[in-house]
Amino acid sequence: MKHIDLIDIMSDESYVNTEVTVCGWVRTSRDSKNMAFIELNDGTTLKHLQIVIDKAVIDNSAAYMKLGSALRITGTLVPSAVKQGGVEINAASIDVLGECPAEYPLQKKRHTLEYLRTMPHLRVRTNTFNAVFRVRSVIANAIHEFFQKRHFVYVQPPLITASDCEGAGEMFQVTTIGYSDQYKSREEYYADDFFGKKAGLSVTAQLEGEVAALAFGKIYTFGPSFRAENSNTPRHVAEFWHVEPEVAFAELPDIIEIAEDMIKYIINTVLETCPDEIAFFDQHFEKGLKDKLVNVASNDFVVLDYTDAIELLKKADVDFVYPVEWGSDLQTEHERYITEQVYNKPVFVTNYPKDIKSFYMKQNPDGKTVAATDLLVPGVGEIIGCSEREADLDKLLAAMEAKGMSTEDYQDYLDLRRFGSVPHSGFGLGFERIIMYVTGISNIRDVILYPRTVGSIR
Ligand code: 4AD
Ligand code: MG
């Protein structure tokens, strides 16, 4: 259908005083005696274009005023009568492409995000979701750009897997059998199942990422991960997008540098590419957002040893719900205290106790901690989980044994330590979590098209 996108019409002066055709949906409209006005949006920009209807030129204007209806309009693009530097169209003809009756749920008033969650197929037509999804798209591109410029190879790992990397209990099972009472044991069931053994949806691409990194040097993956976590929080979804670089010949400080550079690259790209969206979020969702982002992009992140973090928390004049003790995991309240109250900027907490972290993390010489780090940010908490990997076969085997893991399913992974093992490191960035941080949207359900959470899918 021949027409011009609003983003182009509004940014290219050569269209002024020419005849143009645009398409879009009616966002608001207003009627007066001789004239009528429509605010049109086609989704290509946050901005609306005003359509001016002279009732002497177009009769039956009431047919074009209904909220949500889809129109095609031809007319002359002219400088706006009221908005400095803006443009509007004096309509010469209008076609209705799709009627929209009065029961359209998105009426003029501002709806809450909770209410909009009940209609994922329509909420995307609001300004908020227009801005969120443009930023989401720009961040996705920035991530590819960041790694491609640095010669990382983009690899696509399998999503169906037989190994659970992050620990038991969080994997969705993949089976073609389902409910049946014809098997006497699990073993029998799995032997009869599609793959002949138990399979699930991958919680991380790390294991395959390590395989690729020990061949191509530097790789990244960018795809969905699945977690059957029973945590109904504003930060967890069962299906999230996961960015996982893996780098050979890199130790913990090297990978921390890459992670920090990547976050800054993402923020700078959004500041440059999406000024209208950031201004919108700053006004409606997080006051001071733009200044926050500029600050984060131009200052060093904090690197804080876990042991020092525990000291800080013990000294804090706060009644935490969960007790703080060396050896225990940091809870959301602790993470928030450190990033929001103490530093008010991103913090890498490093060298966690080995007992609370995964088997694959490099064991530090102290025998108690591992070379791992989480990147915590104000407002969201953990956005990156990162570590140097244990490259020593015997130490890795001992860690697996200590965690009661069977080594049978991990022979490929162990081979990486048998044949030309090298120091290597990687991390996982929660894609939705960085979007939350950059937009100031505080619930993960509002930065993903169709959130999947405990007890909820559509
Ligand atoms: O900290 P996690 O569990 O680390 C890993 O999976 C490593 N194997 C990554 C690696 O080293 N390649 O997860 C990484 C990140 C978290 O920091 C968080 O941002 C995000 O993934 N994440 C989730 N995001 C949304 N919903 C969930 N349920 C998430 N679980 C993890
Ligand atoms: Mg983690």
Side-chain angles (χ1 to χ4, degrees):
M1 193 173 272
K2 215 164 162 46
H3 71 284
I4 306 169
D5 292 338
L6 295 197
I7 180 86
D8 293 328
I9 288 240
M10 289 177 168
S11 55
D12 183 346
E13 283 179 11
S14 67
Y15 288 115
V16 177
N17 297 322
T18 67
E19 193 191 73
V20 295
T21 297
V22 296
C23 297
W25 292 271
V26 176
R27 282 304 192 77
T28 62
S29 60
R30 110 189 116 83
D31 210 358
S32 67
K33 192 157 169 267
N34 301 320
M35 309 289 285
F37 303 89
I38 293 171
E39 294 280 322
L40 193 79
N41 187 279
D42 72 351
T44 62
T45 166
L46 197 51
K47 292 191 186 117
H48 303 169
L49 180 65
Q50 173 154 282
I51 312 296
V52 182
I53 298 174
D54 181 343
K55 293 184 179 174
V57 177
I58 292 184
D59 52 344
N60 193 25
S61 66
Y64 310 128
M65 310 296 280
K66 293 185 191 118
L67 288 197
S69 55
L71 306 179
R72 178 174 52 194
I73 295 147
T74 298
T76 310
L77 190 74
V78 296
S80 162
V82 285
K83 219 189 285 164
Q84 179 94 47
V87 286
E88 59 193 24
I89 290 179
N90 288 332
S93 70
I94 304 182
D95 300 319
V96 177
L97 299 175
E99 296 270 5
C100 190
E103 60 261 31
Y104 184 51
L106 299 178
Q107 294 300 323
K108 250 184 209 164
K109 81 182 195 37
R110 226 183 137 73
H111 300 292
T112 64
L113 291 176
E114 287 80 359
Y115 174 66
L116 291 172
R117 261 174 237 149
T118 64
M119 48 184 106
H121 58 306
L122 296 177
R123 68 174 183 171
V124 280
R125 298 186 192 181
T126 61
N127 294 338
T128 300
F129 286 86
N130 184 300
V132 165
F133 279 88
R134 191 165 326 279
V135 168
R136 188 174 165 118
S137 167
V138 165
I139 294 180
N141 192 47
I143 287 167
H144 282 295
E145 239 174 49
F146 175 84
F147 288 115
Q148 294 284 335
K149 276 185 185 168
R150 285 160 184 75
H151 311 292
F152 283 63
V153 175
Y154 170 39
V155 298
Q156 296 80 27
L159 300 184
I160 301 177
T161 178
S163 52
D164 180 1
C165 172
E166 291 302 320
E170 292 186 355
M171 270 236 281
F172 284 101
Q173 200 174 325
V174 173
T175 176
T176 50
I177 299 176
Y179 175 76
S180 167
D181 55 10
Q182 88 181 70
Y183 300 103
K184 290 190 191 66
S185 67
R186 285 170 186 279
E187 289 66 31
E188 235 182 66
Y189 178 106
Y190 296 135
D192 205 28
D193 205 352
F194 189 88
F195 298 105
K197 65 195 283 193
K198 188 176 179 185
L201 294 177
S202 184
V203 298
T204 170
Q206 182 188 324
L207 301 188
E208 296 83 5
E210 287 188 49
V211 168
L214 295 195
F216 313 136
K218 304 195 281 188
I219 67 95
Y220 70 106
T221 65
F222 188 171
S225 282
F226 306 88
R227 300 210 178 166
E229 279 167 305
N230 200 353
S231 37
N232 216 334
T233 80
R235 309 180 307 149
H236 290 88
V237 275
E239 179 182 58
F240 68 98
W241 282 67
H242 207 172
V243 179
E244 299 187 80
E246 191 71 33
V247 186
F249 318 112
E251 296 171 312
L252 190 65
D254 305 311
I255 196 76
I256 286 180
E257 197 179 313
I258 293 170
E260 180 167 338
D261 287 351
M262 179 197 68
I263 298 290
K264 289 178 173 171
Y265 189 89
I266 289 170
I267 289 176
N268 281 325
T269 305
V270 173
L271 285 170
E272 266 168 41
T273 319
C274 307
D276 293 345
E277 285 77 6
I278 293 303
F280 174 85
F281 293 124
D282 199 314
Q283 186 185 350
H284 298 291
F285 290 96
E286 184 180 329
K287 295 270 173 287
L289 175 72
K290 184 176 172 210
D291 290 345
K292 170 186 97 173
L293 295 176
V294 170
N295 264 323
V296 170
S298 48
N299 285 294
D300 287 343
F301 294 4
V302 177
V303 179
L304 176 70
D305 199 278
Y306 167 89
T307 302
D308 297 332
I310 293 295
E311 287 312 308
L312 267 176
L313 290 166
K314 278 190 169 159
K315 274 192 261 159
D317 189 18
V318 180
D319 276 335
F320 293 119
V321 177
Y322 292 89
V324 181
E325 259 172 276
W326 198 98
S328 57
D329 210 354
L330 300 182
Q331 302 296 326
T332 304
E333 55 178 348
H334 307 138
E335 297 180 347
R336 295 193 76 143
Y337 176 78
I338 292 168
T339 49
E340 292 168 22
Q341 307 298 320
V342 183
Y343 295 106
N344 195 27
K345 59 162 145 169
V347 179
F348 285 103
V349 176
T350 59
N351 302 317
Y352 284 85
K354 67 173 194 231
D355 292 341
I356 58 170
K357 287 292 186 188
S358 302
F359 72 95
Y360 54 73
M361 295 177 175
K362 184 184 163 66
Q363 296 155 46
N364 285 327
D366 64 12
K368 296 191 301 190
T369 62
V370 284
T373 184
D374 284 352
L375 178 61
L376 312 178
V377 299
V380 182
E382 177 191 336
I383 62 171
I384 283 178
C386 173
S387 64
E388 183 172 343
R389 320 308 190 185
E390 183 53 79
D392 181 281
L393 179 63
D394 294 332
K395 286 189 182 159
L396 184 58
L397 284 169
M400 292 176 81
E401 195 182 331
K403 294 202 189 277
M405 296 170 63
S406 125
T407 52
E408 216 174 290
D409 292 337
Y410 295 87
Q411 285 309 316
D412 289 4
Y413 191 67
L414 294 167
D415 268 354
L416 300 180
R417 278 71 182 168
R418 292 190 182 105
F419 307 127
S421 186
V422 299
H424 61 288
S425 304
F427 65 80
L429 166 73
F431 186 50
E432 284 74 25
R433 296 215 181 147
I434 182 72
I435 299 167
M436 292 168 73
Y437 185 56
V438 170
T439 59
I441 299 277
S442 57
N443 195 309
I444 196 166
R445 292 164 180 77
D446 303 323
V447 298
I448 189 166
L449 201 56
Y450 274 85
R452 273 80 178 84
T453 51
V454 194
S456 160
I457 190 165
R458 67 183 274 171

